[in-house]
Amino acid sequence: MNAPVLEDWQLDLGGVLLGHNTSIPFAEIEGLGRPDGRGDLTDQPGADGVWAAPDWYSERKIHIDCAAKTPGDPAAARALVEQLQAAADPPGVRTVGGAVMPLRIKWPGAPVKVLFGRVRKVDPEWAKAAFGWVPLDVEFAATDPWFYGDTEQQISLRLGWLSGGGFTAPVQAPIRVSSGESGGQRRPGWVTNQGNVETWPVITVYGPCANPKITQVETGRTLKAQVSLDEGQWLRIDTRPGRRHVVRDNGGNVLLTPDSDLGAFSIPPGRTEVRWTASDPTATCRLTVAWRDAYRSL
């Protein structure tokens, strides 16, 4: 199902629209600023001041003060509440560890951005339901504090594609080296995070190949899997916080080499070059990198 198009001052929670020009207007939204942190301030013995422990962000708690508004039609108000409660309980999220759902937000002057988390409360007040007015207390806990782009981006790389330039065959004197940027098109391997904070990719390797190694050229960070994939088989490396895992198409786990660090393979703001190698005598395997732009704020 396609996500609904959002106007300014609107939210999308599981396909139900809230906010301006909807039947569920909101009076206030809290939690869109700096998320809560985890870190203690400890008194310094025999000295003024305190010692600040490392600060880590906790979940981002979104509180939405809204109401189902259908003047003179209490049945329609009840139906809206039912839709919102159903949207807050999608199959495959509530009872699956690590699973999350999106909360899409459109603010003036900015593209649609997304938070990922769980709905913690949909609490209606029925005192004025006979007039078609049902106040709602809605809470959403984003497990990741960053805002993300509404669209997932993806690149696909065949084995042996280089992101640099090279020679154009047939080679004849004088030899000229290509810049690798013909026609203004992006060369293979460029991952561009248009946000202002790091983001986390999902990498999928499609066989046939063995022992794939993925490298960020600028940082030298690598991920190498000890696995052999036949044609039609795949390996997925998910680096996203709270969902970090490496799994095969058959559900089996895969070992990474000791120098591979899922927690360090983030994509910084701007452009990052990704290359990969593997053993494949057929040269038919491929790799995809999927990511979303990441933002500190709306």
Side-chain angles (χ1 to χ4, degrees):
M1 183 178 65
N2 293 330
V5 177
L6 296 183
E7 302 176 3
D8 287 347
W9 306 112
Q10 286 186 350
L11 312 178
D12 168 22
L13 184 61
V16 178
L17 295 183
L18 297 80
H20 185 63
N21 285 335
T22 76
S23 296
I24 310 179
F26 56 77
E28 183 61 78
I29 299 180
E30 299 176 353
L32 297 179
R34 189 179 189 273
D36 292 338
R38 294 178 286 113
D40 294 329
L41 299 176
T42 305
D43 291 340
Q44 298 194 76
D48 295 328
V50 296
W51 181 81
D55 257 347
W56 301 102
Y57 287 131
S58 185
E59 77 272 24
R60 181 185 288 274
K61 299 176 183 178
I62 307 297
H63 177 257
I64 306 170
D65 181 6
C66 58
K69 182 182 178 181
T70 58
D73 193 344
R78 185 209 59 79
L80 282 174
V81 174
E82 182 180 13
Q83 291 176 27
L84 192 56
Q85 289 176 325
D89 190 24
V93 174
R94 181 172 57 85
T95 60
V96 178
V100 292
M101 64 178 293
L103 172 63
R104 302 171 61 235
I105 306 172
K106 177 67 175 75
W107 247 227
V112 175
K113 295 178 183 176
V114 186
L115 292 169
F116 291 96
R118 298 275 185 96
V119 177
R120 310 310 295 170
K121 181 189 294 187
V122 177
D123 191 6
E125 296 180 11
W126 297 103
K128 299 181 180 179
F131 305 101
W133 177 260
V134 181
L136 289 158
D137 184 10
V138 179
E139 290 184 2
F140 183 90
T143 57
D144 186 328
W146 302 139
F147 297 87
Y148 289 92
D150 194 35
T151 303
E152 183 180 80
Q153 303 183 67
Q154 180 174 290
I155 61 169
S156 180
L157 292 172
R158 293 287 184 183
L159 190 64
W161 276 7
L162 295 178
S163 58
F167 299 107
T168 301
V171 178
Q172 297 178 344
I175 298 175
R176 301 182 185 278
V177 179
S178 167
S179 69
E181 297 186 47
S182 61
Q185 297 180 347
R186 294 196 314 169
R187 60 194 187 189
W190 281 355
V191 176
T192 303
N193 173 12
Q194 300 181 35
N196 50 29
V197 293
E198 62 187 2
T199 191
W200 304 90
V202 178
I203 300 166
T204 307
V205 180
Y206 298 90
C209 67
N211 300 326
K213 179 181 179 181
I214 303 99
T215 302
Q216 288 189 24
V217 175
E218 292 84 357
T219 64
R221 297 168 182 164
T222 61
L223 298 174
K224 185 175 181 179
Q226 299 173 312
V227 66
S228 180
L229 301 173
D230 293 330
E231 184 177 358
Q233 296 180 333
W234 52 262
L235 163 74
R236 180 158 297 131
I237 304 173
D238 193 336
T239 70
R240 295 173 295 178
R243 289 177 274 182
R244 287 181 181 139
H245 67 274
V246 184
V247 67
R248 287 191 53 163
D249 56 289
N250 59 10
N253 292 323
V254 177
L255 292 177
L256 298 182
T257 57
D259 58 340
S260 301
D261 187 352
L262 291 179
F265 208 79
S266 60
I267 299 172
R271 190 177 66 193
T272 298
E273 185 176 0
V274 175
R275 295 181 182 176
W276 78 297
T277 59
S279 299
D280 174 20
T282 70
T284 59
C285 63
R286 63 187 176 93
L287 170 144
T288 63
V289 182
W291 75 97
R292 292 175 185 261
D293 300 333
Y295 303 87
R296 183 174 290 106
S297 64
L298 282 175

